[in-house]
Amino acid sequence: NGHCRVPRTYKNRKLRSFVQTMRVHHKQDDKKQDPVWKRRFAQLEDLGFAWEGHGDSFWQERFEELCEYKEANGHCRVPFRYEKNTKLANWVKRMRQYHKEHDKKQKPVWKKRFAQLE
């Protein structure tokens, strides 16, 4: 697949479970100090392992594409039917909808993401 972003819905259950376990362990401070875990984490990082999970890396990819779009066009008003990058167009549409629907009751992760968009 050319990347290390294993989605939670991935068909290989053992790999999916391994990835989730590694992400949980990586968040634990005691594991970060243990030499065995440090080596394991370093090996995964050398592969390009995404600690934040598929959703976060997907969001970051689209955000970077939006930044490139803004650089090229001077604005962030991506057309709904933007044929050059339909994934970006759909993502922008979803972000606008989500922002309207969840503006007042945002989770911290979404507050951070929307702050980046502003």
Side-chain angles (χ1 to χ4, degrees):
N1 294 329
H3 61 77
C4 293
R5 295 182 314 268
V6 179
R8 289 186 178 137
T9 58
Y10 192 65
K11 61 187 172 194
N12 183 328
R13 227 181 276 170
K14 287 183 180 182
L15 178 59
R16 191 175 64 211
S17 178
F18 169 78
V19 166
Q20 187 61 30
T21 300
M22 290 300 104
R23 288 180 178 148
V24 168
H25 287 320
H26 188 259
K27 290 179 184 178
Q28 298 170 345
D29 289 333
D30 62 322
K31 298 278 195 243
K32 290 181 182 177
Q33 304 308 318
D34 184 304
V36 173
W37 284 102
K38 277 183 168 182
R39 189 183 79 247
R40 289 175 180 172
F41 296 154
Q43 288 174 320
L44 289 170
E45 286 168 2
D46 288 345
L47 287 175
F49 187 81
W51 294 112
E52 68 278 352
H54 183 70
D56 289 337
S57 59
F58 176 81
W59 193 93
Q60 191 61 38
E61 284 177 36
R62 295 292 91 77
F63 178 73
E64 289 170 10
E65 290 174 1
L66 181 61
C67 291
E68 291 170 9
Y69 179 91
K70 182 179 180 183
E71 181 74 26
N73 297 286
H75 60 80
C76 293
R77 296 180 306 275
V78 180
F80 289 132
R81 299 185 193 278
Y82 186 54
E83 292 182 19
K84 290 182 182 177
N85 190 339
T86 56
K87 288 181 181 180
L88 176 62
N90 291 330
W91 180 81
V92 168
K93 181 180 171 182
R94 281 193 311 276
M95 290 303 102
R96 288 177 180 142
Q97 289 171 340
Y98 191 89
H99 191 268
K100 285 178 188 176
E101 294 169 7
H102 299 89
D103 193 34
K104 303 291 183 217
K105 52 185 177 185
Q106 291 178 14
K107 294 179 182 179
V109 67
W110 284 103
K111 285 183 181 181
K112 179 181 160 191
R113 289 175 176 176
F114 288 132
Q116 282 184 284
L117 289 172
E118 294 172 354

